[in-house]
Amino acid sequence: MNSSITRRLRVCAAAGLALTGGWMTPAWASDAMATGGLTSQPIGHYDFCKQRPGECSIRPANLAPAALTDGLMRKLVNVTARVNAAVKPMSDMDIYGKDEVWAYPDKGVGDCEDYVLEKRRQLSRMGLSLADLLMTVVRKPDGEGHAVLTVRTDGGDYVLDNLTDKVKPWDETGYRFLKRQAIDNTGRWVSIRGGQQVLVGSVQ
């Protein structure tokens, strides 16, 4: 693990939303993760929505998953590498003096949720539906929480991660998936079947 990845890992762990990533063509398509019903919203996203209510009341018209093409995968790989390189990992405590602040890394620093928000923003500007760009809370094998971006495709769900530049099928990450944004409402979250109780702060 190189020093940049190590720094990103430390930042996510320190933030308390701490988890367990080019494109490699799988031998078969990934499955889509199975989601459950509505669940609590992470406290960081709740506060983000209070600051940016317009971003948390979007109901995408097209709920179909994105077509899995070479062109799409190039976009995912390029955005992952670009954002990972552009943002310096830094904890919310170091940036804001408090934990669980979800924000765009416009000043070039941020923790794992901020990488997710920026990748989501860039891919949305490229024409991907927000129904297919879902902020997701996971747990790493060591028990710490983490945030990644799940991209829904008709060939399965893929993960964009600040801890690696590889775009992986969700079920090849080694993470336990806990909750993610609902596909039909950017302000709501759904559980992921087989997950465990979330470690990060949530609101009911």
Side-chain angles (χ1 to χ4, degrees), residues 145-159:
H146 184 51
V148 297
L149 181 66
T150 297
V151 179
R152 295 172 62 239
T153 81
D154 58 8
D157 294 341
Y158 289 82
V159 166

Side-chain angles (χ1 to χ4, degrees), residues 16-93:
L17 188 82
L19 199 223
T20 19
W23 159 240
M24 299 174 63
T25 304
W28 55 86
S30 170
D31 291 327
M33 64 181 75
T35 57
L38 293 176
T39 191
S40 57
Q41 183 181 20
I43 187 65
H45 191 243
Y46 174 79
D47 290 337
F48 174 84
C49 290
K50 287 198 298 185
Q51 297 295 322
R52 297 172 176 268
E55 293 200 25
C56 299
S57 58
I58 299 169
R59 293 170 172 77
N62 181 5
L63 301 183
L68 180 58
T69 64
D70 288 342
L72 173 62
M73 294 311 304
R74 281 194 295 271
K75 287 181 182 178
L76 302 186
V77 169
N78 290 340
V79 167
T80 296
R82 181 167 62 243
V83 174
N84 285 356
V87 179
K88 177 183 177 181
M90 187 176 293
S91 72
D92 289 332
M93 186 61 68

Side-chain angles (χ1 to χ4, degrees), residues 13-197:
L17 188 82
L19 199 223
T20 19
W23 159 240
M24 299 174 63
T25 304
W28 55 86
S30 170
D31 291 327
M33 64 181 75
T35 57
L38 293 176
T39 191
S40 57
Q41 183 181 20
I43 187 65
H45 191 243
Y46 174 79
D47 290 337
F48 174 84
C49 290
K50 287 198 298 185
Q51 297 295 322
R52 297 172 176 268
E55 293 200 25
C56 299
S57 58
I58 299 169
R59 293 170 172 77
N62 181 5
L63 301 183
L68 180 58
T69 64
D70 288 342
L72 173 62
M73 294 311 304
R74 281 194 295 271
K75 287 181 182 178
L76 302 186
V77 169
N78 290 340
V79 167
T80 296
R82 181 167 62 243
V83 174
N84 285 356
V87 179
K88 177 183 177 181
M90 187 176 293
S91 72
D92 289 332
M93 186 61 68
D94 289 338
I95 302 170
Y96 305 105
K98 59 181 180 178
D99 288 330
E100 291 306 318
V101 179
W102 293 28
Y104 289 108
D106 292 333
K107 295 182 178 180
V109 295
D111 66 358
C112 44
E113 315 92 17
D114 307 340
Y115 287 86
V116 171
L117 285 166
E118 181 60 25
K119 291 170 186 175
R120 179 174 173 267
R121 177 166 67 176
Q122 291 193 20
L123 289 166
S124 175
R125 288 173 175 173
M126 292 178 180
L128 274 75
S129 170
L130 290 176
D132 300 326
L133 302 172
L134 307 172
M135 292 181 283
T136 305
V137 172
V138 302
R139 180 177 294 173
K140 297 190 304 179
D142 63 8
E144 289 179 319
H146 184 51
V148 297
L149 181 66
T150 297
V151 179
R152 295 172 62 239
T153 81
D154 58 8
D157 294 341
Y158 289 82
V159 166
L160 279 59
D161 194 342
N162 67 297
L163 300 182
T164 177
D165 289 343
K166 293 181 180 179
V167 174
K168 295 182 178 180
W170 72 278
D171 51 1
E172 294 181 13
T173 61
Y175 299 153
R176 180 176 293 275
F177 287 72
L178 305 174
K179 61 171 72 176
R180 74 182 190 189
Q181 284 178 295
I183 67 172
D184 59 349
N185 188 321
T186 56
R188 293 186 176 182
W189 287 66
V190 294
S191 62
I192 298 171
R193 295 175 191 169
Q196 299 176 351
Q197 183 177 356

